[in-house]
Amino acid sequence: MPEPAHAPAAADPTHPLAGVRVLEFCQVAAGPFCGMLLADFGADVIKVEPPEGDALRTWPPLSGGFSENFASLNRGKRSLALDLKDGTHRTLALRLADEADVIVENSRPGVMDRLGLGHAALRARRPRLVYASISAYGQDGPRGGEGGFDLTIQAAAGVMSVTGEPGGAPVKAGVPIADFASGLYAAYAIAALLARVRAGGPGGHVDVPMFGTTLAIAALQTSEYFGTGRNPAPLGSAHPRNAPYQAYAARDGFFAIAAGNNRLWAAVCETVGVTDLLDDERFLTPTLRARHQRELMALLDPHFAQRSVADWLAAFAAAGVPHAPINGYREALADPQATHLQLVQPQRLPGGHATRTVGCPLRLDGQVPAVDTRPPALDEHGAALRAAPGWSPR
């Protein structure tokens, strides 16, 4: 089948993927996050959903009957509802795949093949196609057929073993890092293969195992194991190789400081008024301070308890020591730097409800990408996509 010609990319420097067509067969988090990252950079992303919609559409909070969780991962996309077990619907999916530059799917391995929409079948029709498969453990191997969610991947990949307080129950990271790490890796690999295609090369298949990407972002923990033969252990907010580098209790709450070298350690001692600790043999280097950080914490805690969080933050700011309050998301989003970075963007949901979302956090050539923050209603673009022989505008 001949390859269709695409219009040249738009000149907007913040939309380097303009002109790229993406077909997303994904639900919940990892795949939709990947698709959203591509849409933020200008790709035209069609989200193919089952007739009942992506399961994330049911997750609260619901504003005007529309899920804000769904909106946060599906902005700037078009929605098409298809029953891929129906032959007529599959025919439409194949037509759209023939016009796509990228396919993203996060089904269990084998599902897309059984539907006739797998990598091998679609690449045979379109050799320059970039096809990304996100799954729990990868497309093959002893666990390749297993499903998984962020929690089970965090457990299997070691994250829960190093999260929480020493001696406490296993704790997952509060942010779904397995989902989003895999989505980031997928988007990064897709962009790399698109560069190859634009240079005249072939497309390719990106196999993104959540298990593997979650181990990959744990480079400091895996290297600790390789170097010592021992499993890293949970340390709460502390660091295995630096101290003071954790949260501490002030008179009215908690704050964090990160003194990752001797210069900053000296600044901490001067600020707290414990310069005698600079000559203590237990604390002469970052490695020694980390080894003796419980003793160090016991020496610092009484001083921190005498003043407020605001006082300590001001003092460490003046001393040049990296510091932060323990923010909730209300406080983090209200930080003046969040305003400067233009992170909080207005968003209007399909029913008309006005809300907000966190937009693209990057700058390209000094500009914040102009992101379409509106998420689609279920099958909002279905009629146009079913009727058109090619692609119809949003």
Side-chain angles (χ1 to χ4, degrees):
M1 179 173 293
E3 303 253 336
H6 290 166
D12 184 346
T14 70
H15 286 163
L17 295 182
V20 172
R21 297 168 176 176
V22 179
L23 203 55
E24 177 197 300
F25 297 91
C26 300
Q27 291 202 56
V28 187
F33 183 59
C34 171
M36 185 190 74
L37 295 177
L38 301 176
D40 281 356
F41 278 6
D44 183 6
V45 180
I46 289 187
K47 182 179 182 69
V48 179
E49 305 183 59
E52 67 275 15
D54 183 336
L56 196 62
R57 288 184 180 273
T58 66
W59 288 24
L62 302 178
S63 297
F66 198 91
S67 168
E68 299 224 16
N69 276 184
F70 177 88
S72 72
L73 295 180
N74 290 282
R75 62 178 178 240
K77 302 177 185 179
R78 298 193 277 175
S79 172
L80 171 65
L82 294 179
D83 179 359
L84 295 177
K85 296 180 180 179
D86 179 277
T88 302
H89 288 217
R90 280 200 308 276
T91 297
L92 175 56
L94 281 169
R95 174 173 68 76
L96 294 172
D98 286 340
E99 292 289 329
D101 299 292
V102 177
I103 303 289
V104 184
E105 62 92 6
N106 66 349
S107 300
R108 284 199 190 202
V111 169
M112 296 296 280
D113 289 327
R114 291 193 292 273
L115 293 169
L117 295 165
H119 165 250
L122 296 188
R123 276 289 299 283
R125 300 164 65 98
R126 186 154 166 70
R128 299 181 71 190
L129 180 68
V130 174
Y131 193 110
S133 299
I134 304 173
S135 62
Y137 292 96
Q139 296 300 297
D140 50 29
R143 303 192 70 176
E146 292 186 32
F149 287 91
D150 182 84
L151 169 66
T152 58
I153 299 302
Q154 285 199 37
V159 173
M160 291 178 66
S161 76
V162 294
T163 307
E165 295 295 332
V171 178
K172 71 176 181 64
V175 173
I177 59 171
D179 278 331
F180 293 156
S182 59
L184 280 165
Y185 266 101
Y188 155 71
I190 288 167
L193 284 182
L194 285 172
R196 184 171 79 181
V197 169
R198 285 178 169 174
H205 185 204
V206 185
D207 179 358
V208 186
M210 294 172 64
F211 177 69
T213 58
T214 305
L215 275 168
I217 63 170
L220 298 183
Q221 286 69 37
T222 57
S223 61
E224 180 177 346
Y225 166 71
F226 292 141
T228 67
R230 296 187 299 272
N231 271 329
L235 294 171
S237 64
H239 194 282
R241 283 165 283 282
N242 278 311
Y245 194 105
Q246 65 182 92
Y248 289 96
R251 185 178 63 214
D252 57 349
F254 289 85
F255 66 95
I257 56 171
N261 56 48
N262 281 347
R263 179 182 63 79
L264 292 171
W265 163 238
V268 168
C269 290
E270 292 167 5
T271 302
V272 179
V274 288
T275 53
D276 57 304
L277 296 183
L278 291 172
D279 298 320
D280 192 311
E281 293 186 355
R282 295 171 296 176
F283 310 134
L284 293 178
T285 68
T287 299
L288 288 171
R289 289 192 292 276
R291 185 180 305 162
H292 298 285
Q293 59 184 288
R294 289 191 178 183
E295 299 104 297
L296 178 58
M297 186 174 185
L299 292 168
L300 295 176
D301 275 350
H303 297 275
F304 291 143
Q306 294 175 13
R307 297 169 62 182
S308 69
V309 169
D311 284 347
W312 284 119
L313 293 178
F316 286 121
V321 175
H323 60 283
I326 310 300
N327 282 335
Y329 284 97
R330 181 196 304 273
E331 293 76 25
L333 292 167
D335 190 294
Q337 190 65 19
T339 302
H340 172 74
L341 295 172
Q342 301 177 48
L343 294 179
V344 179
Q345 296 290 324
Q347 183 176 56
R348 191 165 295 278
L349 304 182
H353 180 84
T355 184
R356 295 175 295 166
T357 192
V358 174
C360 180
L362 310 178
R363 292 187 182 187
L364 296 181
D365 297 323
Q367 298 182 55
V368 175
V371 171
D372 177 3
T373 62
R374 186 183 181 280
L378 178 62
D379 201 40
E380 179 177 343
H381 307 90
L385 290 166
R386 291 182 182 91
W391 289 73
S392 53
R394 183 176 176 82

